Every structure is written in structure tokens, then in C-alpha cells.
DNA sequence: CTGCGCATGTAAAAAGTTACATGATTGG
DNA sequence: CCAATCATGTAACTTTTTACATGCGCAG
């Protein structure tokens, strides 16, 4: 069901073709909230059109169809937004990997986590640049830019991860220091790759 | 594939039955990283056992079987942990809803977002209590408690959300103040298409 | 005139959800 | 002895992924 409302939501912001929607998913939505392939998007658009929730408003080159949300679609989207959200389930392979670090030997977990931290920091900085650009364009008339909210969310999300990772690294180091006191195990804090 | 490694990871921390693993998923993993129903877990455990990655180490009342990870399982888990993570896709209906707020009229988006903020703050505070308790028990000998890492992650995650939501609320308020200056519109985002 | 990106689809397989189903044990 | 919880499973359905498939239009 969520795919349906993700599409309605994107079309509520701005009309677009299946191709364009596929790109909008890949652009920001998939990183924080939802992902869909084009092979899922096209059939769903046809279903939505069949249900009268969206309409073809233009046809372009190469058989492209631009869809826009209909009034019925806006109503359906609103209903969904006002309906109680179901159990908050999050699915992220990346975070799963992070949690599974605790199954590894501390030095290895430490090394991998440093890598994750570095990557998150890079992502954060990339988005910060985008934010800076958006902020400079400063189109005050624009109606509550979706992208601006998403980008800010991303920056804060990655930043929280970076800080958590630093905390976790320190904790692993502390643990290793304590564990290594008596018996000398192979475990030095980081075998610098 | 991820389910398989989530199970291997949980069993690498501690042996358990399908029932116990179902609970461990529900306890913390599902909130941040991965969810699975028992109807998915039992068949996957049987497959893992068939592949020799886990073994039955005990049988208890009511036909319960306690599984433990095998050496082959540890190898498989390690391989996975060292393999390059695939595109970071996150799936969260809650976050999808948050992003879709920008399709609503600002006053309504504002109201809903305040609710989301309050709930996130509650979640954060709940986990903080758990953290406080874990911290007081302070079992220094325990081998890098998985739960402690997850809880800290949760606190920071929710906290980042709360702060983002506050930022977003302020931005919505600013937008409304600006938009409301001249004409008192009844804000239907676009009556014109 | 060719390769790349635009643009849309279908089919098969895998993963995940929901519902159905059964029975044992334990605490009150 | 009754209800709740432990404990495991299957079946049907939905959703998602991966692979296959086709063809247009534009820039170099």
C-alpha cells in the first residue's frame, strides 16, 4: 500500500511520468523512506489511473505520459495521511550490518565501524553542499520545498549516525583496554588498514 | 538474503529457538534495522540448518529446538559482513509519512508534525530509561552488549528526528507568516492544474 | 549512423505479510 | 481446569526484486 501513497505524494507535489517518478524515488526518497523500481512503478501508475486517483495530463516523445494527481487522488492521500500509522517498522540493510558488528572481534568491528563512520560523514557533507546551494537560490515563493526538508533530514540523520559511531568506537576501545589488561590477546585497538 | 544474516547474527550473539529469535527481532532489531515474522523465521532456520550454518544444540519442552551458529555459519556471516553493502535503501512507512507532509496544507502539516515530534520524544525517553537501567546494572564483564549499542543508537536517532521536526515546524511557521501577509488565502495548494 | 539516455513494459522468482492451524505447558 | 503464553508450522496472498524485452529521439 505504501508505494501507492508514495506515488500519490510525489504527484501531489508535481506531475510527472513514470520515468521521472523513478528518478525522484532514487534521488532522495529511497535513502530515507522508500524505494521502488520502475518495474513496480509503471504497473502501479496504471492501477492508480484505473482507479481515477491520477490522470494523464500530457503525452510526450517516446510514448511518455505525464500523470497528475486527481481530486479523488488528493482525497485518498489525505485519508491515508490522517489514518493511524501502522507499527513503525524500519528496514535498512546498512543498519543491520552496523548492529551485527557486535558479533565480530572488537578490533575488526572497530575497523569496519570507522569505515561506516567515514562514509556517513561523506554523505552528510554532500547533502550539506546541496543544502547550501538550495539555500542560496532562496526562492522564497516556492511552496515548502520537499527537497529542502528531505535534505535537512538527511544531514541530521547522518550526523546522528556519525556521533553515535564515535561513541561506539570509544566504547569498543574502552572494552579492549579493559579486556587486554591481564591477558595479552591479539586485540590492539585498530590494525590500521 | 538479509534475513538469513540477521538470524546468523542473532545466533552468533547467543543461541536460541525460533520463538526466542522472533522476540529478539521484535525487541530492538525491527525498530531500526529489520523485521521478520515467525512465519518467515521458522522456515529460514530450517534452511540454515539444512545448509549447515546453524545446528540444533538442545531440545526443550513443546518441541522447542535451540539453535546455535556453526563454524560454517560464522564464516558465512563474516563473509557477508566483509562484503560490500548494497545500495543503502531504507524503508520506513513512518518517514514516508513525514516526507509526504509537504503535500498538505501548511497548518495541517504543522499539526501532524507536532504529533510525530511528541511521539518520537516519548520513544526517545523510553529508551533513555532503558539505557539508564542497563548502565546501572553495569556488568563490565559482558561482551559488548548488543542491546546497549542498539539503545544508544535509538536514542540518538529519535533525538535527531525531534530536532529536525522542531526545525521543520519553525520553517512552516515562517512560511505561513510570509504567505499570510497580503492575501488571506484558504490555502488549497493548487486549485489550478 | 551510432551510442546513450529516455521511456515503458512483462515475467519469473524471491521475500514478506496475513491468516489459518495445532498442540504443550504453566500459573492461577 | 482455564487462560495465557510457549512453540512450531503451512497456505494464500501481496509486495519487491531481478531479468528480460522493446523502441524512440537526440547529440556528436
Amino acid at each position: 500500500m505504501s508505494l501507492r501513497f508514495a506515488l500519490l505524494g510525489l504527484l501531489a507535489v508535481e506531475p510527472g511520468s513514470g520515468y521521472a517518478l523513478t528518478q525522484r524515488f532514487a534521488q532522495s526518497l529511497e535513502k530515507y523512506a522508500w524505494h521502488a523500481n520502475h518495474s513496480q512503478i509503471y504497473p502501479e501508475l496504471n492501477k492508480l489511473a484505473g482507479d481515477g486517483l491520477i490522470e494523464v495530463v500530457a503525452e510526450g516523445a517516446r510514448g511518455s505520459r505525464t500523470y497528475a494527481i486527481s481530486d479523488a487522488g488528493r482525497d485518498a492521500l489525505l485519508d491515508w495521511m490522517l489514518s493511524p500509522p501502522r507499527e513503525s517498522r524500519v528496514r535498512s540493510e546498512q543498519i543491520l550490518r552496523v548492529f551485527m558488528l557486535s558479533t565480530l572481534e572488537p578490533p575488526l568491528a572497530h575497523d569496519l565501524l570507522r569505515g561506516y563512520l567515514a562514509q556517513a560523514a561523506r554523505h552528510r557533507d554532500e547533502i550539506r553542499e546541496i543544502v547550501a546551494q538550495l539555500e542560496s537560490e532562496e526562492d522564497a515563493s516556492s511552496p515548502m520545498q520537499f527537497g529542502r526538508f528531505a535534505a535537512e533530514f538527511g544531514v541530521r540523520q547522518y550526523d546522528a549516525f556519525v556521533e553515535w559511531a564515535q561513541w561506539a568506537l570509544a566504547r569498543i576501545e574502552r572494552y579492549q583496554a579493559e579486556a587486554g589488561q591481564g591477558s595479552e590477546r591479539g586485540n590492539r585497538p585498530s590494525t590500521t588498514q
Side-chain angles (χ1 to χ4, degrees), chain A:
Chain A
M1 272 298 84
S2 291
L3 170 63
R4 164 158 278 235
F5 296 107
L7 288 170
L8 280 177
L10 289 176
L11 289 176
V13 172
E14 189 183 1
S17 65
Y19 190 85
L21 290 165
T22 304
Q23 289 178 314
R24 285 194 227 162
F25 261 99
Q27 201 188 340
S28 66
L29 217 49
E30 98 168 19
K31 281 201 150 181
Y32 315 118
W34 210 265
H35 167 76
N37 296 307
H38 79 272
S39 64
Q40 211 183 350
I41 290 171
Y42 288 114
E44 189 64 35
L45 286 172
N46 285 326
K47 265 203 266 181
L48 282 163
D51 294 346
L53 303 184
I54 63 176
E55 287 157 5
V56 176
V57 292
E59 306 200 16
R62 277 154 287 180
S64 84
R65 290 181 301 268
T66 300
Y67 292 96
I69 192 167
S70 67
D71 287 343
R74 268 183 210 283
D75 289 348
L77 181 58
L78 183 61
D79 280 353
W80 179 72
M81 290 291 293
L82 296 178
S83 72
R86 319 204 298 162
E87 196 83 33
S88 66
R89 291 173 183 173
V90 174
R91 181 157 280 170
S92 161
E93 191 192 299
Q94 181 57 59
I95 301 302
L96 179 62
R97 281 170 184 270
V98 168
F99 279 20
M100 291 301 140
L101 285 176
S102 63
T103 68
L104 302 177
E105 303 272 324
L108 180 54
H110 190 275
D111 282 355
L112 285 175
L113 186 50
R114 276 208 311 193
Y116 296 159
L117 189 162
Q119 196 179 27
R122 277 196 298 276
H123 282 313
R124 179 197 58 194
D125 295 342
E126 275 168 29
I127 308 175
R128 270 200 185 134
E129 270 184 58
I130 295 171
V131 165
Q133 219 173 352
L134 285 174
E135 211 71 356
S136 71
E137 289 168 10
E138 192 63 36
D139 186 359
S141 71
S142 69
M144 305 245 304
Q145 274 307 341
F146 175 91
R148 182 66 186 83
F149 282 83
E152 185 72 23
F153 183 84
V155 167
R156 290 165 185 266
Q157 191 91 343
Y158 280 120
D159 208 46
F161 178 84
V162 165
E163 290 191 19
W164 173 83
Q166 280 162 350
W167 170 88
L169 285 173
R171 202 167 165 105
I172 293 173
E173 284 157 20
R174 203 189 70 193
Y175 171 79
Q176 283 185 277
E178 280 171 13
Q181 278 198 339
S183 58
E184 189 56 44
R185 299 165 50 218
N187 293 341
R188 306 230 62 216
S190 70
T191 17
T192 317
Q193 328 114 333

